[in-house]
Amino acid sequence: MAAIGETQPAKHQEVGHKSLLQSDALYQYILETSVYPREPQPMKELREVTAKHPWNLMTTSADEGQFLNLLLKLINAKNTMEIGVYTGYSLLSTALALPEDGKILALDINRENYEIGLPIIEKAGVAHKIDFREGPALPLLDQMVDDVNFHGSFDFIFVDADKDNYLNYHKRLIDLVKIGGVIGYDNTLWNGSLVAPPDAPLRKYVRYYRDFVLELNKALAIDPRVEICQLPVGDGITLCRRIC
């Protein structure tokens, strides 16, 4: 507890920040210096609209959106997939990064949330790049795995969905991403709970999914088919580059 008269640290102002930085002031500095000044207007608009939604903590943070946008340009991605869309902030970041003829297969169980951001995506002129499919992802992924034409057809795949299925997704996505392509798994540091003691006071959903995230991290660490890099951006993102 701070002593009387001691300045209290500022709390994160960014909705959906999920930052693992110990200094809230430093995170705010990153946002205000490097992220917000370069954030495209449509993304800013969608971020502000999403902030009003009761589940706004599900959104991708602005700094992670910037990271994904640059990453896609660096790897010259053209054909991508996103599992877990919510209102579409990361989806819009991807669409803006892809070339005019780029494509995103976007999978989510809730079209209503996606339609919150759709008018902004349309106004940004990138809706034609998106093929949105409503429903569970696994059945569609199984169909794609059964069709050899889809094998190795994706340059980049971003997963920000049900953590208890991350390993199930990985078993399928590894066949669908090309050799040299990248899969990004979001929330792989899971609110910092992965190193919390067993008796730590955690929210129910954090505690429930914690073991699934731990299991994923262990599996990715020993998967010989990928090179990995786990970054403390947002709530943690693990990049997997397929090598065989």
Side-chain angles (χ1 to χ4, degrees):
M1 185 173 179
I4 296 175
E6 183 177 336
T7 302
Q8 293 283 352
K11 295 299 181 184
H12 289 307
Q13 298 174 22
E14 163 73 355
V15 171
H17 62 81
K18 306 175 186 174
S19 175
L20 297 167
L21 287 175
Q22 292 300 305
S23 169
D24 291 335
L26 182 58
Y27 183 61
Q28 238 6 80
Y29 171 81
I30 292 171
L31 292 175
E32 294 172 3
T33 303
S34 302
V35 179
Y36 290 157
R38 290 179 172 266
E39 185 179 34
Q41 182 59 34
M43 291 182 64
K44 177 183 179 183
E45 186 177 349
L46 182 50
R47 175 169 56 84
E48 292 175 347
V49 167
T50 303
K52 301 173 184 176
H53 193 271
W55 301 342
N56 56 52
L57 281 176
M58 290 173 55
T59 193
T60 300
S61 61
D63 53 324
E64 186 174 8
Q66 183 186 60
F67 170 74
L68 291 173
N69 184 276
L70 183 58
L71 174 64
L72 287 158
K73 293 173 182 175
L74 289 171
I75 66 174
N76 295 313
K78 185 174 181 180
N79 191 39
T80 72
M81 183 193 308
E82 181 160 331
I83 302 176
V85 172
Y86 186 42
T87 61
Y89 187 82
S90 58
L91 185 65
L92 177 56
S93 177
T94 299
L96 290 170
L98 296 184
E100 186 62 21
D101 59 346
K103 298 296 180 185
I104 313 166
L105 177 60
L107 312 178
D108 199 288
I109 60 172
N110 191 321
R111 176 178 287 274
E112 184 177 346
N113 288 335
Y114 168 62
E115 290 181 346
I116 292 173
L118 184 56
I120 299 171
I121 293 171
E122 291 174 336
K123 187 168 63 174
V126 293
H128 66 282
K129 301 179 185 181
I130 300 169
D131 177 10
F132 180 84
R133 309 282 186 92
E134 183 179 25
L138 287 175
L140 179 57
L141 294 179
D142 284 336
Q143 293 175 25
M144 296 173 73
V145 169
D146 289 340
D147 185 344
V148 294
N149 292 317
F150 286 107
H151 287 200
S153 63
F154 289 91
D155 304 311
F156 179 78
I157 302 171
F158 182 58
V159 184
D160 183 9
D162 41 333
K163 316 309 169 196
D164 46 346
N165 268 320
Y166 268 28
L167 268 181
N168 289 325
Y169 292 141
H170 186 68
K171 292 173 184 177
R172 294 156 173 82
L173 297 179
I174 197 67
D175 290 329
L176 301 178
V177 71
K178 72 179 184 181
I179 293 177
V182 176
I183 307 171
Y185 292 101
D186 201 19
N187 306 114
T188 59
L189 293 176
W190 200 231
N191 289 254
S193 67
L194 306 187
V195 294
D199 59 348
L202 302 175
R203 293 183 180 182
K204 287 183 179 179
Y205 81 93
V206 173
R207 185 174 298 280
Y208 174 77
Y209 287 114
R210 177 178 179 270
D211 288 345
F212 293 107
V213 177
L214 284 168
E215 185 180 10
L216 171 77
N217 290 340
K218 290 177 183 178
L220 295 180
I222 61 173
D223 189 337
R225 300 166 298 179
V226 295
E227 297 173 322
I228 69 168
C229 181
Q230 189 171 31
L231 300 169
V233 176
D235 191 27
I237 180 172
T238 300
L239 302 179
C240 305
R241 178 178 178 268
R242 184 184 172 190
I243 56 176
C244 65

